[in-house]
Amino acid sequence: MSTSLLMIEDDTRLANMVSEYLSQSGYAVTHAADAAQGLAQLAAEVPALVILDLMLPDLDGLEVCRRIRASAGEAAKVPVLMLTAKGDPMDRVVGLELGADDYLPKPFEPRELLARIRAVLRRKGDGSGAPAAANALQFGSLAIDRDARVVTLDGAPCDLTSYQFDLLVALAERAGRVLSRDQIMEAVRGRELEAFDRSIDVHVGRIRAAIEADAKNPKRILTVRGVGYVFAKQQD
């Protein structure tokens, strides 16, 4: 059975090429040529992942991402892989802040897109074939259920993307150990990619907003200036 993907991209030629390539790996791509079509399709049927172009004729891709995250039900949780035309770091930062799970600068190799899609879906737990990590991690009132991929604080669920969940797990599993941004990236992705440090900082900021009583004065994820981050062993 094919895994459904939604590609919101105004370049029909590129969309057709991507659709054909991904179909060979078991993905069924629905193409939407603009934001309106894409959002309508998403409302009708939630795919496993959305491939979202930054530059669309009717609406900025960043705004589309914001609307997806603000939507109701399962659509709000769908993983989003954003395509950035020039690979501008600020576009990536803003996209990540709005809730995108990953980004890929244009032009790109189809096989890298496939690898990124697989990595995002693996983090989400869809179609990877790998068993979920056993047991839960408990740090005071913070609980990280690796099987259910759910984080709760005082029993209330925390709103994290699939990438942010895995980043939090990577830090929590190594509680008390200082990790550089490169080490965090490798732990989360499972392979080295470009060392885009700001992406880690953005995601850590989002995680802190979800799990800290005061994100500006964190007690759980601490910054080690000039090095990286450490997840505190003793909390609450």
Side-chain angles (χ1 to χ4, degrees), residues 80-133:
V80 175
L81 194 161
M82 184 167 285
L83 303 178
T84 59
K86 297 179 181 179
D88 185 340
M90 284 310 300
D91 287 340
R92 304 180 203 175
V93 169
V94 175
L96 292 169
E97 287 176 338
L98 290 173
D101 292 84
D102 203 352
Y103 60 87
L104 183 60
K106 291 182 178 179
F108 57 83
E109 290 290 333
R111 60 186 177 182
E112 182 176 3
L113 174 63
L114 175 60
R116 300 250 185 178
I117 290 171
R118 285 174 170 168
V120 171
L121 294 180
R122 190 179 303 117
R123 294 196 297 264
K124 187 171 182 284
D126 291 347
S128 68

Side-chain angles (χ1 to χ4, degrees), residues 51-165:
I51 303 169
L52 175 62
D53 186 29
L54 184 66
M55 303 297 292
L56 296 168
D58 56 339
L59 200 63
D60 187 283
L62 296 173
E63 174 62 19
V64 175
C65 185
R66 188 193 68 77
R67 293 190 184 188
I68 291 174
R69 291 292 174 247
S71 59
E74 290 301 311
K77 302 177 183 178
V78 65
V80 175
L81 194 161
M82 184 167 285
L83 303 178
T84 59
K86 297 179 181 179
D88 185 340
M90 284 310 300
D91 287 340
R92 304 180 203 175
V93 169
V94 175
L96 292 169
E97 287 176 338
L98 290 173
D101 292 84
D102 203 352
Y103 60 87
L104 183 60
K106 291 182 178 179
F108 57 83
E109 290 290 333
R111 60 186 177 182
E112 182 176 3
L113 174 63
L114 175 60
R116 300 250 185 178
I117 290 171
R118 285 174 170 168
V120 171
L121 294 180
R122 190 179 303 117
R123 294 196 297 264
K124 187 171 182 284
D126 291 347
S128 68
N135 304 322
L137 297 170
Q138 188 77 41
F139 298 89
S141 59
L142 180 70
I144 305 171
D145 187 332
R146 289 175 291 189
D147 288 328
R149 296 183 65 80
V150 172
V151 178
T152 58
L153 182 63
D154 291 321
C158 300
D159 186 16
L160 299 174
T161 68
S162 60
Y163 186 89
Q164 288 156 11
F165 176 87

